[in-house]
Amino acid sequence: MKKFNFRKVLDGLTAASPVGSSGGGSGSGAGGSVHPGGTAGAAGTPREEIQETLTSDYFQICKTVRHGFPYLPTALAFDPVQKILAIGTRTGAIRILGRPGVDCYCQHESGAAVLQLQFLINEGALVSACADDALHLWNLRQKRPAILHSLKFNRERITYCHLPFQSKWLYVGTERGNTHIVNIESFILSGYVIMWNKAIELSTKTHPGPVVHLSDSPRDEGKLLIGYENGTIVFWDLRSKRADLRAYYDEAIHSVAWHHEGKQFMCSHSDGSLTLWNLKSPNRPFQTTIPHGKVQRDGKKPESCKPILKVEYKTCKNSEPFVVFSGGLSYDKPCRRPSLTIMHGKAITVLEMDHPIVDFLTLCETPYPNEFQEPYAVAVLLEKDLIVVDLTQTNFPIFENPYPIDIHESPVTCTEYFADCPPDLIPVLYSVGAKHKKQGYSNKEWPISGGAWNLGAQTYPEIIITGHADGSVKFWDASAITLQMLYKLKTSKVFEKQKVGEGKATAEIVEEDPFAVQMMYWCPESRIFCVAGVSAYVIVYRFSKHEVNTEIASLEVRLQCEVEDIITPEPETNPPFPDASSQLPPVKSLSGSTNTVAGEGTMKDSIPCLSVKARPVRMPPGYQADLVIQLVWVDGEPPQQITSLAVNSAYGLVAFGNCNGLAVVDFMQKTVLLSMGTLDLYGSSDPYQRQPRSPRKSRQFAADNFCMRGLSNFYPDLTKRIRTSYQSLTELSDSPVSLELERCKSPTSALRTHTRALIYACLLVSICAENRENSFSRSRSSSVSSIDRDSKEAITALFFMESFARKNDSAVSSCLWVGTGLGMVIILSLNLPASDDLRQSEPVMVSPSGTVLTLKGAVLTFACLDCMGTLTHQPYEVWRDPHSADDGDKTRKRKLVMHSPSSSQDMGDHQFAVICSEKQAKVFSLPSQTCLYVHNITETSFLLRADVVTLCNSVCLACFCANGHIMTLRYLSN
């Protein structure tokens, strides 16, 4: 018999996390050595020790790429020649963006906020001014941008910087009102300082305030315009070291912009006004306007408005100049959203934004300040978005943003990652996604088009799928350095819109986000896609390149755990596990009817949470809904959230489970094959004697502890949970908390088993810790002698595979492996028609096989290895377009790919099943069902995610633990 050994080769990647891995004679900390793990198999054969050459010291976490929008942006800069954009943040990060795919991330070691960014135009360099009063010169010409020079101001605080085009002098204004000049080549102070008391008139004794603006004259680079906060403007001659003119205004200045001829400049003020000044008559502005102020009837000055924080004045050769500014709205409309105003001649356009404006820049055709600017776009940096407005069209449309910065446009509720996808899949998804683009965008190319992007030779097809709170699903191409959104699917289009005051059942179950995606299952080969939502529904999608107009098929499933109100004494001993010949339990509630009606009075019964569209629906090319399966109310109790989901395209089956039981649906024949409570799946094989309950207690318990809640309970206090997550992690122990019950209670239960982010782990552990007092407790031990088990046993893992369902089987057959929250594994036999021709007409039979295996903790994942230790994949159907114009036999006939395990006449067992729970991993030999290996992964924590993967031609069990550890157990055969 083949010997098994799982060897831990990677652990403790987060050195700050407490040691939480022990059991079975193994244990390694955050940087400790690797020890042999696990115990001997059931046969008791001593295991040969193998000298492992890899240790956890050889591995470290490194940052490879950063996706999403820059966190807390503060500054914006643009190189009009190289056409690249830079964004600074409050955390000291700099994000450099160019053409789609060009994305670079830099970080100041100090972590100080970036106040301002200035490009050395067309020189591949960038100057950053930070809140710690330091200037840095970045070299962008190398593969990884790095700081060449730094200059620290110790006695003065930096407020504004200006670097003229093709100049070697950087002007730095300070809070004291002084202006320093830095040589950009040597990056040292020149010694030339424009003191504030020399810049203003000697007769003026009051301090002008900090420097808020610096700019050189478009006509003469030897003259510098200095704007002070209190409204003072000084035009300084750098050669003669004196002021050519001084101007004063009784409102504070926020920004200044030149006319390209250098004879006029415009200022924005704190009262919402714009003033236009002429150098020949600086005593007062020759034009003053309050664009959004109400005009008074008596001819007085218009009412004051909110401050105009920034203004830009750009000229055109063949049209009126553009005046673009942010802010300046009237005070009488406090609820108006942040806006950007574009004044072109007499036309005034106000563009309302979804988020506060941080900064904006007008993109022009020329970098020379003394030429007609010819603006063509405005880049607007918002707190949570980046938009670019097209100025060349009359209605000022925005460009469609090609960057993956809208990952959290709607909060991400679940994610899935797929590597080595079929090579034609990414182009197909991109082509159908391009057809679904929104209307109203500019028809021109994205104007930020600089940089070079090399795909590289080491890439392979990778796809990330994200499910969101609004019911949308996004497919991302992760093959290259940056994410590229391929395709977006809206699951909410399957259902009718909820009318206000309609009084539907959903409002009582889900407060917000009734379409939030909880789980996803995707088969890249067959392109079958399945989604489970928070309102207890499952949608099966098929992929088609053709548009279709059809009705959406729907099924309703009655799935409820019903325990008879019979009090019987619990026997002292538990019955032994039965053989394969044990009696099969009867199938309950095989209800798939859609003609059920609500019960009398206020008692809801046999109604789903949402209404599927009954009329024909136009479905564009892409993923089209093939079947909607909904759980219904039972005796006034809402359906419970779905906790597990699996689909197999070769079998044509979808299986899903929750706290009450399991349902198996044939999506080819659109019929419900199985709808059974978890206890009924065992029959006489149930190793636990459970306490019966009265129906009244059952209903009250379900209503209080299992009622579905919307994601609104999770997002508002997100920050609080993050702050307390580490404390919750360290305090978590093997207390009698029912984790599978907590999954049912939590509105983010899908995150427990499907997320890849540690923050979700921390949040969910925090939820568990907060809800301990109100939760129904049970022992974490999976000992057969444990009692006081709750009758609600959640289905936590499902897996279709060709396997041996019983001990006496001589050949593999179609099976469904079911894992529960109590660590139980139940194997169901699937009796499929012998030929594919009969698949659409002959019924499919699903029945428990009587085989029950046990683990410690809730079951997370399954995998199948053949007799040589090679990972065996599930059978699948090769994709064919369901709406193809070719109706020939070749198109209609299904092409199946089966992965049957290899066998040998001199070998008794032909297959190995790897099962991992939140506490331990086991390897079973099939069909003998002998436990060959046990590894206790953790005792003080629990696993959030586990997957059996292939790394460097070796099968590994990768585990992500709630204490932050990442562990890899490698399969070794000897």
Side-chain angles (χ1 to χ4, degrees):
M1 180 180 294
K2 185 73 65 173
K3 294 181 180 180
F4 269 80
N5 181 13
F6 267 133
R7 183 60 65 98
K8 185 185 300 185
V9 298
L10 183 58
D11 187 16
L13 293 184
T14 54
S17 299
V19 177
S21 179
S22 62
S26 69
S28 62
S33 59
V34 175
H35 305 284
T39 58
T45 305
R47 176 170 47 81
E48 179 182 351
E49 293 294 334
I50 298 178
Q51 294 299 323
E52 182 59 73
T53 58
L54 295 178
T55 69
S56 58
D57 297 336
Y58 299 158
F59 299 87
Q60 63 180 358
I61 291 179
C62 60
K63 296 179 181 178
T64 56
V65 68
R66 181 179 293 257
H67 302 304
F69 187 74
Y71 180 61
L72 298 175
T74 55
L76 185 67
F78 181 69
D79 187 326
V81 178
Q82 295 189 353
K83 295 187 182 299
I84 55 177
L85 190 78
I87 300 175
T89 73
R90 197 176 301 175
T91 60
I94 299 177
R95 190 81 167 268
I96 302 174
L97 302 171
R99 67 181 62 187
V102 176
D103 191 336
C104 183
Y105 175 84
C106 313
Q107 176 68 50
H108 291 91
E109 291 184 1
S110 64
V114 178
L115 298 179
Q116 196 175 354
L117 295 172
Q118 291 272 307
F119 272 107
L120 276 66
I121 297 176
N122 200 29
E123 295 185 23
L126 178 72
V127 174
S128 62
C130 297
D132 60 349
D133 304 311
L135 297 173
H136 306 279
L137 178 63
W138 292 81
N139 180 13
L140 307 180
R141 294 184 295 271
Q142 57 195 49
K143 187 175 181 180
R144 293 199 173 200
I147 295 177
L148 289 179
H149 303 286
S150 295
L151 180 62
K152 177 76 171 177
F153 281 68
N154 295 321
R155 297 182 179 180
E156 296 190 70
R157 308 215 64 179
I158 299 173
T159 56
Y160 195 88
C161 298
H162 173 65
L163 178 64
F165 178 51
Q166 294 181 336
S167 173
K168 64 177 181 179
W169 303 110
L170 172 68
Y171 302 99
V172 183
T174 68
E175 193 175 32
R176 291 186 180 181
N178 302 325
T179 302
H180 301 265
I181 303 177
V182 178
N183 187 300
I184 202 69
E185 297 174 351
S186 61
F187 219 68
I188 58 175
L189 289 171
S190 66
Y192 191 127
V193 182
I194 304 174
M195 306 299 292
W196 69 270
N197 53 359
K198 293 183 179 180
I200 65 174
E201 290 184 358
L202 298 178
S203 60
T204 305
K205 297 182 180 180
T206 58
H207 191 279
V211 175
V212 295
H213 176 79
L214 293 169
S215 60
D216 61 312
S217 170
R219 300 178 64 185
D220 187 356
E221 63 179 13
K223 294 185 178 182
L224 188 68
L225 187 69
I226 307 173
Y228 295 93
E229 188 181 59
N230 73 339
T232 301
I233 300 170
V234 176
F235 195 47
W236 185 265
D237 190 330
L238 294 168
R239 301 181 186 91
S240 62
K241 299 182 179 181
R242 64 181 180 86
D244 279 1
L245 63 88
R246 298 177 180 90
Y248 301 93
Y249 194 70
D250 55 359
E251 293 290 341
I253 292 178
H254 286 281
S255 67
V256 183
W258 279 100
H259 187 280
H260 82 277
E261 293 178 349
K263 300 177 181 179
Q264 301 174 359
F265 60 87
M266 181 179 289
C267 300
S268 69
H269 301 277
S270 58
D271 63 345
S273 64
L274 296 174
T275 56
L276 197 59
W277 300 75
N278 196 315
L279 294 180
K280 292 183 179 180
S281 55
N283 295 329
R284 60 186 178 88
F286 73 88
Q287 181 179 327
T288 301
T289 59
I290 301 181
H292 296 297
K294 290 183 179 180
V295 179
Q296 304 293 333
R297 293 182 180 180
D298 53 2
K300 293 183 180 180
K301 183 180 177 181
E303 282 184 342
S304 296
C305 295
K306 297 178 182 179
I308 296 179
L309 301 179
K310 184 176 182 179
V311 64
E312 292 203 345
Y313 187 26
K314 303 298 181 181
T315 56
C316 301
K317 188 174 183 180
N318 299 320
S319 67
E320 296 289 334
F322 281 90
V323 177
V324 185
F325 62 88
S326 61
L329 298 178
S330 59
Y331 282 104
D332 60 349
K333 295 181 179 179
C335 296
R336 289 190 64 176
R337 294 187 294 178
S339 65
L340 183 80
T341 303
I342 301 175
M343 300 172 59
H344 189 210
K346 295 182 179 180
I348 299 179
T349 304
V350 179
L351 304 178
E352 291 188 339
M353 305 296 168
D354 294 331
H355 309 283
I357 298 175
V358 176
D359 197 1
F360 73 89
L361 290 172
T362 306
L363 312 187
C364 303
E365 295 288 351
T366 177
Y368 295 95
N370 57 353
E371 297 179 353
F372 282 102
Q373 300 299 292
E374 302 296 341
Y376 59 88
V378 180
V380 187
L381 178 64
L382 308 178
E383 281 189 358
K384 296 182 180 180
D385 201 1
L386 172 69
I387 67 170
V388 180
V389 181
D390 188 354
L391 294 180
T392 62
Q393 300 185 30
T394 55
N395 56 345
F396 302 133
I398 65 172
F399 291 88
E400 187 172 11
N401 197 324
Y403 305 133
I405 61 177
D406 57 345
I407 297 177
H408 301 278
E409 180 183 16
S410 174
V412 176
T413 53
C414 59
T415 59
E416 291 292 340
Y417 167 78
F418 299 88
D420 289 330
C421 300
D424 62 331
L425 199 53
I426 290 179
V428 167
L429 288 172
Y430 181 79
S431 64
V432 297
K435 298 177 182 178
H436 296 175
K437 289 185 178 180
K438 298 177 181 178
Q439 302 297 324
Y441 285 112
S442 173
N443 54 10
K444 294 189 175 182
E445 295 291 331
W446 181 251
I448 305 169
S449 56
W453 179 37
N454 296 323
L455 189 61
Q458 302 299 322
T459 60
Y460 53 91
E462 297 174 88
I463 292 179
I464 293 176
I465 307 178
T466 56
H468 299 264
D470 63 353
S472 62
V473 176
K474 295 180 181 179
F475 291 74
W476 304 85
D477 179 10
S479 306
I481 297 299
T482 60
L483 287 179
Q484 190 72 26
M485 194 173 78
L486 299 172
Y487 176 70
K488 182 177 180 179
L489 175 67
K490 293 183 178 179
T491 62
S492 59
K493 290 187 175 182
V494 173
F495 303 99
E496 297 285 357
K497 290 185 178 180
Q498 204 66 13
K499 295 181 181 180
V500 179
E502 189 178 359
K504 295 292 291 182
T506 310
E508 301 179 19
I509 304 172
V510 182
E511 297 174 4
E512 294 180 8
D513 305 323
F515 307 108
V517 178
Q518 277 191 304
M519 292 183 180
M520 301 176 296
Y521 198 101
W522 189 43
C523 177
E525 290 79 11
S526 66
R527 303 185 187 177
I528 294 289
F529 182 61
C530 197
V531 174
V534 72
S535 297
Y537 62 82
V538 173
I539 308 176
V540 180
Y541 289 91
R542 289 184 181 271
F543 187 86
S544 176
K545 297 181 180 180
H546 304 278
E547 181 178 318
V548 65
N549 197 326
T550 184
E551 292 187 4
I552 302 173
S554 63
L555 290 174
E556 294 178 3
V557 179
R558 187 181 179 94
L559 189 61
Q560 192 75 3
C561 180
E562 299 176 1
V563 180
E564 296 181 1
D565 190 15
I566 301 176
I567 301 177
T568 56
E570 182 179 347
E572 295 181 0
T573 59
N574 293 294
F577 291 134
D579 295 331
S581 60
S582 61
Q583 294 181 352
L584 301 179
V587 177
K588 296 180 59 179
S589 303
L590 294 179
S591 172
S593 173
T594 59
N595 298 323
T596 54
V597 295
E600 297 180 359
T602 59
M603 179 72 71
K604 295 182 176 66
D605 188 44
S606 301
I607 60 173
C609 298
L610 301 172
S611 299
V612 180
K613 291 181 178 178
R615 61 187 182 278
V617 179
R618 186 190 72 86
M619 300 182 188
Y623 274 104
Q624 301 167 350
D626 185 62
L627 177 64
V628 179
I629 310 162
Q630 292 180 285
L631 297 179
V632 298
W633 287 66
V634 178
D635 297 332
E637 294 184 20
Q640 305 307 310
Q641 293 185 25
I642 294 170
T643 57
S644 57
L645 177 68
V647 183
N648 189 276
S649 58
Y651 301 159
L653 303 179
V654 54
F656 59 93
N658 62 5
C659 299
N660 290 329
L662 171 70
V664 181
V665 175
D666 184 346
F667 61 81
M668 296 181 65
Q669 298 186 22
K670 309 293 190 296
T671 58
V672 179
L673 303 178
L674 180 74
S675 178
M676 184 180 291
T678 312
L679 301 185
D680 298 326
L681 293 174
Y682 292 103
S684 60
S685 305
D686 187 5
Y688 303 128
Q689 298 297 316
R690 315 187 190 229
Q691 295 288 347
R693 304 172 296 144
S694 67
R696 179 176 300 178
K697 181 179 179 182
S698 172
R699 185 171 296 118
Q700 182 180 2
F701 179 78
D704 293 342
N705 294 284
F706 290 93
C707 184
M708 294 199 301
R709 298 192 299 256
L711 292 172
S712 59
N713 295 333
F714 174 71
Y715 295 111
D717 55 351
L718 181 64
T719 306
K720 177 182 177 182
R721 296 189 189 279
I722 292 176
R723 291 171 181 169
T724 60
S725 59
Y726 181 77
Q727 181 180 1
S728 301
L729 282 172
T730 55
E731 292 177 354
L732 187 67
S733 62
D734 269 355
S735 59
V737 179
S738 173
L739 283 192
E740 92 271 358
L741 300 188
E742 293 293 346
R743 289 194 187 95
C744 301
K745 292 171 60 179
S746 171
T748 54
S749 60
L751 300 178
R752 276 289 306 272
T753 53
H754 288 272
T755 186
R756 297 179 185 274
L758 176 60
I759 184 172
Y760 289 148
C762 298
L763 292 172
L764 288 164
V765 173
S766 178
I767 292 174
C768 294
E770 293 172 6
N771 294 337
R772 282 182 185 177
E773 295 182 359
N774 298 326
S775 65
F776 186 88
S777 63
R778 68 164 172 88
S779 173
R780 294 300 298 262
S781 171
S782 61
S783 171
V784 178
S785 61
S786 298
I787 58 175
D788 293 334
R789 305 282 177 161
D790 183 50
S791 60
K792 283 182 179 291
E793 182 177 358
I795 305 295
T796 58
L798 294 168
F799 187 69
F800 287 101
M801 67 175 170
E802 294 287 300
S803 181
F804 299 91
R806 302 173 181 86
K807 287 185 177 181
N808 300 328
D809 288 352
S810 59
V812 296
S813 61
S814 303
C815 296
L816 173 61
W817 288 59
V818 181
T820 76
L822 295 183
M824 310 304 296
V825 176
I826 307 166
I827 303 179
L828 303 184
S829 296
L830 308 176
N831 189 1
L832 299 169
S835 63
D836 186 64
D837 298 335
L838 302 175
R839 180 62 183 85
Q840 292 287 358
S841 58
E842 293 292 326
V844 177
M845 303 301 295
V846 182
S847 60
S849 65
T851 299
V852 178
L853 308 174
T854 62
L855 284 87
K856 182 180 179 181
V859 179
L860 296 181
T861 190
F862 299 98
C864 179
L865 309 179
D866 63 15
C867 62
M868 303 303 295
T870 303
L871 185 63
T872 302
H873 298 282
Q874 296 186 31
Y876 63 87
E877 176 190 1
V878 178
W879 176 78
R880 59 194 178 103
D881 198 325
H883 304 296
S884 176
D886 185 9
D887 293 330
D889 293 338
K890 294 183 178 180
T891 305
R892 290 199 307 265
K893 190 172 182 179
R894 303 171 70 215
K895 181 180 178 182
L896 306 181
V897 177
M898 311 298 289
H899 297 283
S900 299
S902 57
S903 60
S904 176
Q905 294 181 355
D906 58 349
M907 186 175 295
D909 286 344
H910 312 303
Q911 197 179 64
F912 302 103
V914 180
I915 309 174
C916 183
S917 72
E918 60 186 6
K919 288 292 185 180
Q920 66 179 191
K922 284 187 178 183
V923 178
F924 291 92
S925 177
L926 301 178
S928 66
Q929 300 179 10
T930 304
C931 182
L932 298 179
Y933 183 79
V934 180
H935 179 76
N936 295 314
I937 300 174
T938 177
E939 290 291 345
T940 60
S941 186
F942 56 89
L943 297 186
L944 290 156
R945 176 83 186 228
D947 279 307
V948 178
V949 296
T950 302
L951 295 175
C952 299
N953 299 321
S954 177
V955 178
C956 299
L957 175 63
C959 305
F960 178 38
C961 196
N963 61 11
H965 286 202
I966 300 175
M967 293 163 284
T968 302
L969 309 177
R970 190 174 68 176
Y971 157 75
L972 299 174
S973 62
N974 49 289

